[in-house]
Amino acid sequence: MKADMDNTFKIIYENESDAVFRFCLVRVSDREEALDITQETFLRLWKSLQDGQNILNSRAFLFTIARRLIIDWYRKKKSLSLDSMLEREGGYDISDDKTVEDSNFSLSEGRYLLSKINELDLSYRDPVYLRFVEGLSPPEIGEVLGISTGATSVRINRGLAELRRIAGYNNETKG
Amino acid sequence: MKDQKIQNGINEIKNIKMTALEKKQILEYILNSPQKSNKLIPSPWMNIFTFTVKKNRLVYYMVIPLVVVLTGSGAVFASGESLPDSMLYPIKVNIVEPMRGALKFSKESKANYESGLATKRMVEAEKLATEGKLDRVKEEQINILLQKHNKRLNEALDKIDQKESSEQVDEIVTDFQEKMNTHAKTLDVITLQKKEEKSKKNREKKIETDNNFNLDMKNPELETDVEGNVNEESTEEEGDEDEENKISKSARDNANNLGRKIKDKREDESRGRGRERD
């Protein structure tokens, strides 16, 4: 029974840990903080499994927790220091040395796209990111954000149109 | 390609990953985390009773009906010997007795039961009369119940097959008549005794007051006044006496009616049989 649970958890961790970490890193722009939040997210999944909770969609579950932890993190940070946050907002660097070491990509395209995604309206940002980067289905995103599938689809489409506009991809394809 | 650049960007973003070491560290941390149970911390105020109840839900299903049965049966038991002046009397008459009656399945036992109840009412009336507590309200109450039992007895007897168990019917009817008549007589005797006691007392009182009046003020006009009052009282008493015979009267009537009814029925049947033969 416990071995089963361990295996289930390990499989989920293997498949989803990078996505969750990425999601956190993009939001908090701090590798250590992102690792902390990722760890806390999986710890909660682990405890839920131990309590015998039936988790139907582990992906949606993980992203829901991660998103809430990030919101909490921002609240705490705000109350701590407004100045340090203002300093941080200027330099937005998702990739530090470790990440670059791991990958063969320059990340220039990715960094540009991320910055544009982060420029999106708040209501479009998470749906667009989760849909196109992490490949979650609209129902899953709806579950994470606590909105209906229909509303999620609308936000994804409008968000994508907005992203194309601000990133200048629209003009290129037309021309 | 329209979305080529977006796709490239996405692919690049997807390469943001944890290092193998980070991944391993987190996994180990989680798997070795102390297993915290989400169980509630028991309150120090929790006593043994709540403990056992919480531990074992069965206790609910055992204890609650037990309490209900015990308190309920207590009231039922206590109501058994209650009289119409008691709080428990309505429980006895409206709940306990009809319930017991519902458990009598054969027509004979039902008839016997109702006859027994009618006797019980008579005994109650006698008890009250002996204690001098039988006023008009209680009398009326007992009378209504008596009529009810009589009605049910009649219904039960109607349903009994006269041909097959005529002996049994006879027995029930005779028994009922005997009991009703006896108790009616007893009740009459008791009420009469009470009346006599009362009137004796009144007479004594009257003599006393008369004497007092005669001694205190020798005024003939007042004397007649006092006598007039006394006379009025005695007529009231007579009225009372008539009404107090209500129970015994209805008991006798019921007994006679039942006997007559059964007789008529038998005659009808034998006539019907005669016609069939013709």
Side-chain angles (χ1 to χ4, degrees):
Chain A
M1 182 65 200
K2 200 186 175 292
D4 276 0
M5 206 172 68
D6 279 12
N7 273 338
T8 316
F9 179 75
K10 274 177 189 164
I11 292 165
I12 296 172
Y13 182 78
E14 204 53 49
N15 291 336
E16 309 294 341
S17 58
D18 282 328
V20 173
F21 169 71
R22 200 154 46 227
F23 181 65
C24 298
L25 185 62
V26 167
R27 288 281 162 278
V28 304
S29 345
D30 182 318
R31 195 175 179 91
E32 290 309 313
E33 296 287 355
L35 283 171
D36 265 4
I37 295 172
T38 309
Q39 180 176 300
E40 181 62 25
T41 306
F42 278 95
L43 192 63
R44 290 200 185 179
L45 174 74
W46 173 239
K47 279 179 181 164
S48 298
L49 286 172
Q50 278 185 327
D51 287 347
Q53 273 183 36
N54 192 15
I55 295 161
L56 295 173
N57 189 338
S58 53
R59 265 190 124 186
F61 180 87
L62 285 169
F63 278 106
T64 309
I65 293 174
R67 188 168 165 270
R68 284 179 193 164
L69 287 172
I70 290 163
I71 292 168
D72 282 352
W73 182 81
Y74 266 104
R75 280 191 194 135
K76 269 183 210 157
K77 209 179 106 179
K78 226 179 230 171
S79 61
L80 274 177
S81 155
L82 200 65
D83 290 335
S84 63
M85 198 180 73
L86 284 173
E87 276 169 28
R88 275 214 171 143
E89 271 186 0
Y92 207 95
D93 191 12
I94 51 150
S95 62
D96 54 14
D97 298 339
K98 282 178 184 171
T99 316
V100 177
E101 270 170 33
D102 276 0
S103 68
N104 299 320
F105 294 88
S106 65
L107 285 178
S108 63
E109 200 78 55
R111 198 175 295 171
Y112 176 72
L113 185 64
L114 265 183
S115 68
K116 290 301 165 196
I117 290 176
N118 279 311
E119 277 175 29
L120 282 175
D121 190 275
L122 278 178
S123 60
Y124 298 148
R125 202 175 61 188
D126 282 346
V128 166
Y129 178 86
L130 291 172
R131 179 80 192 100
F132 296 108
V133 181
E134 304 304 346
L136 265 72
S137 68
E140 283 173 329
I141 298 169
E143 206 180 319
V144 172
L145 303 176
I147 56 176
S148 74
T149 310
T152 313
S153 301
V154 169
R155 285 188 194 183
I156 290 168
N157 288 324
R158 288 184 189 164
L160 183 63
E162 181 75 5
L163 181 66
R164 281 192 184 127
R165 193 182 61 77
I166 58 174
Y169 295 150
N170 253 355
N171 299 337
E172 265 179 45
T173 48
K174 272 177 191 170
Chain B
M1 269 292 281
K2 193 180 171 185
D3 286 331
Q4 191 56 52
K5 282 197 170 176
I6 291 183
Q7 202 53 54
N8 287 343
I10 286 169
N11 287 338
E12 285 182 14
I13 294 169
K14 276 188 176 169
N15 277 302
I16 303 171
K17 280 177 183 168
M18 282 190 274
T19 61
L21 183 69
E22 284 166 348
K23 231 174 175 174
K24 207 181 154 199
Q25 277 174 344
I26 290 180
L27 183 65
E28 273 172 9
Y29 172 83
I30 291 169
L31 291 179
N32 294 325
S33 67
Q35 193 175 346
K36 259 194 214 166
S37 67
N38 282 351
K39 275 176 194 163
L40 298 172
I41 299 159
S43 152
W45 304 106
M46 199 169 76
N47 59 27
I48 298 161
F49 176 72
T50 52
F51 182 72
T52 46
V53 167
K54 271 191 179 169
K55 269 259 166 176
N56 190 357
R57 289 261 157 171
L58 255 181
V59 174
Y60 279 121
Y61 306 122
M62 301 290 282
V63 165
I64 292 169
L66 202 68
V67 168
V68 171
V69 165
L70 284 181
T71 51
S73 62
V76 165
F77 181 74
S79 70
E81 291 302 311
S82 62
L83 292 176
D85 56 348
S86 157
M87 292 263 290
L88 294 171
Y89 192 73
I91 296 180
K92 168 180 158 178
V93 170
N94 296 323
I95 300 167
V96 180
E97 288 178 355
M99 259 165 72
R100 284 208 184 122
L103 292 174
K104 308 280 177 206
F105 293 110
S106 76
K107 301 286 174 269
E108 286 86 3
S109 57
K110 213 162 224 169
N112 266 326
Y113 181 69
E114 289 298 336
S115 152
L117 286 182
T119 320
K120 222 175 180 181
R121 294 293 94 85
M122 294 302 292
V123 173
E124 281 164 11
E126 280 162 25
K127 274 186 192 164
L128 282 175
T130 328
E131 287 166 21
K133 284 180 191 166
L134 189 67
D135 56 17
R136 283 180 202 176
V137 180
K138 282 167 198 153
E139 209 183 295
E140 191 58 40
Q141 199 181 350
I142 292 179
N143 200 29
I144 290 167
L145 289 168
L146 209 55
Q147 298 299 351
K148 204 164 82 182
H149 297 317
N150 183 50
K151 199 182 143 202
R152 287 204 192 126
L153 173 65
N154 276 312
E155 281 168 4
L157 285 176
D158 282 344
K159 283 174 196 163
I160 297 176
D161 195 342
Q162 300 286 349
K163 284 176 220 164
E164 278 177 23
S165 44
S166 61
E167 271 179 32
Q168 261 180 313
V169 173
D170 278 347
E171 211 171 280
I172 294 167
V173 172
T174 324
D175 187 55
F176 180 71
Q177 283 176 327
E178 185 198 329
K179 275 178 183 160
M180 285 298 111
N181 286 326
T182 322
H183 283 292
K185 211 175 234 173
T186 323
L187 192 60
D188 280 347
V189 171
I190 293 169
T191 40
L192 206 70
Q193 273 176 355
K194 287 280 153 187
K195 282 291 114 171
E196 275 171 10
E197 274 174 32
K198 227 184 192 177
S199 55
K200 212 177 182 182
K201 268 184 201 166
N202 280 343
R203 242 176 281 144
E204 277 165 13
K205 248 188 209 169
K206 198 183 98 187
I207 292 162
E208 262 179 42
T209 44
D210 280 0
N211 288 343
N212 287 343
F213 269 114
N214 289 337
L215 286 174
D216 286 348
M217 31 182 148
K218 292 180 176 174
N219 195 336
E221 279 174 34
L222 273 171
E223 222 173 299
T224 48
D225 252 336
V226 169
E227 270 177 25
N229 282 338
V230 169
N231 283 340
E232 272 171 33
E233 273 175 31
S234 63
T235 50
E236 265 178 33
E237 273 171 27
E238 275 163 22
D240 270 2
E241 217 170 296
D242 282 345
E243 291 206 9
E244 276 195 350
N245 288 330
K246 213 177 190 176
I247 295 176
S248 48
K249 192 180 167 244
S250 59
R252 282 197 189 100
D253 286 350
N254 288 342
N256 293 336
N257 289 340
L258 188 64
R260 216 175 292 147
K261 197 178 142 194
I262 297 292
K263 214 177 168 186
D264 288 351
K265 218 174 177 182
R266 294 252 164 91
E267 279 174 10
D268 282 352
E269 274 172 16
S270 59
R271 248 177 254 151
R273 258 179 246 154
R275 260 176 233 152
E276 271 171 29
R277 265 179 228 154
D278 294 341

